[in-house]
């Protein structure tokens, strides 16, 4: 009997829950929107919905999209007293569609409904904290470069294209930095690629700190970076580039007690004088970068 009691005790420690089991603690679900199609910078965004959520391109919106076909305040989702959520258009230029059909008046949202705004598609769902955490992790994988914490290249490319279109329309300046680290190959050859990756990651975080709210950056590939600076002309962009260059030169990068001392070469190009398309701007900044490399590295060139 003693052995039987022990077996029962062991079984009681491991509980197997079946679907619909009333012993499973209930979880609180909340409504949220996920961007399932859209600009790279928007794709994968998850926005919980409280009592009301405005979706649009304006900075004051609860879910702000970069899609140029979306109005500043495009649509609104509101929680009704009975617990349901209702979608309405806010007089947008291009209208709102629900599950592919034009929205007329208001629409009570159901799990899985798809909302079409401009070229973007949002999915309405109810989820608990675990689901939201899972979707957040997926969003981070799509939007963020894991090594540096900067934008993924896809997100950056879409954001640059939109920012350049806006700059040309408003006749305001926009500058681009092309950056290539100096000295990564010797670090890799001497200490191994983990040390080179550490230097690249720290450089990306340094670039993010310098840019702060003035621009966006991504890892272009390997140890190369690209940044855009909306509203900054070439002179101001050179100053930003010089700050990045100086801070990296003075930084005390270390890994496992080993001091790493990479530097960075930077090329600068600006709209409109160097081009008004993404390709022409990137090409001009790239040529300036190679001039910096040929001139001895660790410098900013235009």
């Amino acid at each position: 009997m003693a052995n039987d009691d022990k077996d029962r005790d062991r079984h009681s420690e491991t509980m197997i829950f079946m679907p619909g089991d009333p012993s499973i603690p209930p979880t609180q679900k909340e409504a949220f929107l996920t961007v399932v199609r859209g600009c790279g910078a928007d794709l994968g965004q998850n926005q919980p919905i409280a009592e009301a959520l405005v979706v649009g391109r304006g900075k004051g919106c609860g879910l702000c999209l970069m899609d140029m076909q979306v109005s500043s305040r495009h649509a609104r989702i509101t929680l009704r007293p009975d617990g349901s959520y209702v979608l309405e258009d806010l007089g947008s230029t291009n209208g709102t569609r629900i599950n592919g059909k034009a929205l007329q008046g208001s629409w009570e949202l159901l799990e899985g409904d798809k909302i079409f705004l401009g070229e973007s598609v949002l999915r309405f769902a109810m989820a608990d904290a675990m689901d939201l955490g899972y979707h957040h992790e997926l969003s981070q994988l799509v939007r963020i470069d894991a090594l540096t914490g900067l934008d993924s290249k896809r997100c950056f490319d879409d954001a640059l294209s939109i920012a350049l279109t806006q700059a040309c329309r408003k006749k305001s300046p926009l500058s681009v930095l092309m950056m290539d680290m100096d000295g990564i190959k010797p670090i890799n050859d001497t200490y191994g690629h983990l040390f080179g990756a550490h230097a690249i990651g720290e450089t990306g975080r340094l670039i993010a700190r310098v840019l702060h709210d003035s621009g966006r950056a991504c890892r272009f590939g390997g140890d190369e970076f690209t940044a855009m600076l909306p509203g900054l002309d070439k002179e101001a962009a050179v100053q930003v580039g010089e700050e990045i260059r100086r801070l990296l030169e003075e930084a005390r990068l270390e890994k496992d007690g080993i001091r790493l001392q990479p530097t960075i070469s930077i090329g600068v190009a600006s709209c409109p004088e160097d081009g008004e398309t993404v390709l022409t701007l990137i090409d001009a900044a790239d040529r300036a970068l190679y001039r910096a490399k040929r001139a001895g590295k660790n410098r900013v060139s235009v």
Side-chain angles (χ1 to χ4, degrees):
M1 293 296 293
N3 288 336
D4 291 342
D5 290 339
K6 289 180 181 179
D7 289 340
R8 281 195 293 270
D9 289 340
R10 281 198 296 268
H11 285 302
S12 66
E13 292 173 1
T14 304
M15 299 181 67
I16 300 175
F17 295 114
M18 300 300 291
D21 190 334
S23 62
I24 299 177
T27 56
Q28 183 65 43
K29 289 197 171 186
E30 59 181 305
F32 74 105
L33 290 179
T34 300
V35 182
V36 295
R37 190 178 77 194
C39 300
D42 295 332
L43 190 62
Q45 278 198 74
N46 293 292
Q47 182 60 52
I49 307 168
E51 295 182 358
L53 176 72
V54 174
V55 182
R57 201 157 38 87
K59 291 184 178 180
C61 293
L63 177 56
C64 184
L65 303 175
M66 298 189 70
D67 187 340
M68 296 297 292
Q69 302 301 314
V70 171
S71 297
S72 295
R73 287 172 57 86
H74 197 110
R76 177 170 55 212
I77 298 174
T78 306
L79 172 62
R80 295 194 302 199
D82 63 2
S84 61
Y85 290 85
V86 174
L87 170 70
E88 60 180 323
D89 187 85
L90 296 178
S92 65
T93 301
N94 296 318
T96 300
R97 289 175 293 149
I98 182 75
N99 299 326
K101 298 180 180 179
L103 176 63
Q104 303 291 338
S106 61
W107 177 274
E108 182 177 330
L109 290 166
L110 300 176
E111 177 86 21
D113 276 349
K114 292 183 175 60
I115 305 167
F116 294 72
L117 311 178
E119 297 180 353
S120 301
V121 181
L122 318 178
R123 183 180 184 274
F124 175 82
M126 302 293 294
D128 58 25
M130 185 178 294
D131 289 329
L132 288 172
Y134 169 72
H135 285 288
H136 175 74
E137 289 299 321
L138 288 181
S139 172
Q140 293 297 95
L141 289 173
V142 171
R143 302 172 62 197
I144 304 296
D145 175 64
L147 179 61
T148 63
L150 298 173
D151 286 346
S152 68
K153 189 173 183 301
R154 176 177 177 178
C155 285
F156 178 85
D157 288 346
D158 284 346
L160 174 58
S161 178
I162 291 169
L164 187 57
T165 298
Q166 293 174 335
C168 291
R169 189 176 69 244
K170 297 177 181 178
K171 300 189 183 303
S172 61
L174 180 147
S175 295
V176 169
L177 308 180
M178 286 294 290
M179 298 169 273
D180 187 18
M181 296 180 68
D182 312 314
I184 289 297
K185 188 177 186 303
I187 291 174
N188 288 337
D189 292 345
T190 304
Y191 304 112
H193 285 79
L194 287 178
F195 287 79
H198 177 76
I200 293 169
E202 290 300 302
T203 300
R205 285 180 275 278
L206 181 149
I207 291 170
R209 289 195 298 272
V210 173
L211 296 186
H212 192 48
D213 293 330
S214 64
R216 304 177 69 149
C218 77
R219 184 158 66 102
F220 194 78
D223 58 353
E224 295 180 314
F225 298 88
T226 310
M228 65 169 175
L229 302 166
L232 297 190
D233 60 17
K234 187 172 293 184
E235 182 179 355
V238 168
Q239 293 177 3
V240 172
E242 181 58 34
E243 184 178 4
I244 292 172
R245 186 208 64 77
R246 177 181 60 80
L247 289 178
L248 181 58
E249 184 181 41
E250 296 173 354
R252 296 185 61 86
L253 303 186
E254 290 187 5
K255 177 174 171 56
D256 298 341
I258 295 174
R259 177 80 181 274
L260 309 173
Q261 294 182 288
T263 58
I264 196 164
S265 300
I266 301 175
V268 181
S270 299
C271 171
E273 58 264 42
D274 296 319
E276 296 187 357
T277 69
V278 171
L279 288 178
T280 55
L281 268 184
I282 293 293
D283 181 64
D286 210 33
R287 285 185 278 114
L289 168 60
Y290 280 106
R291 281 195 289 275
K293 288 283 193 182
R294 288 195 299 268
K297 303 180 181 180
N298 190 27
R299 65 193 64 216
V300 180
S301 178
V302 298

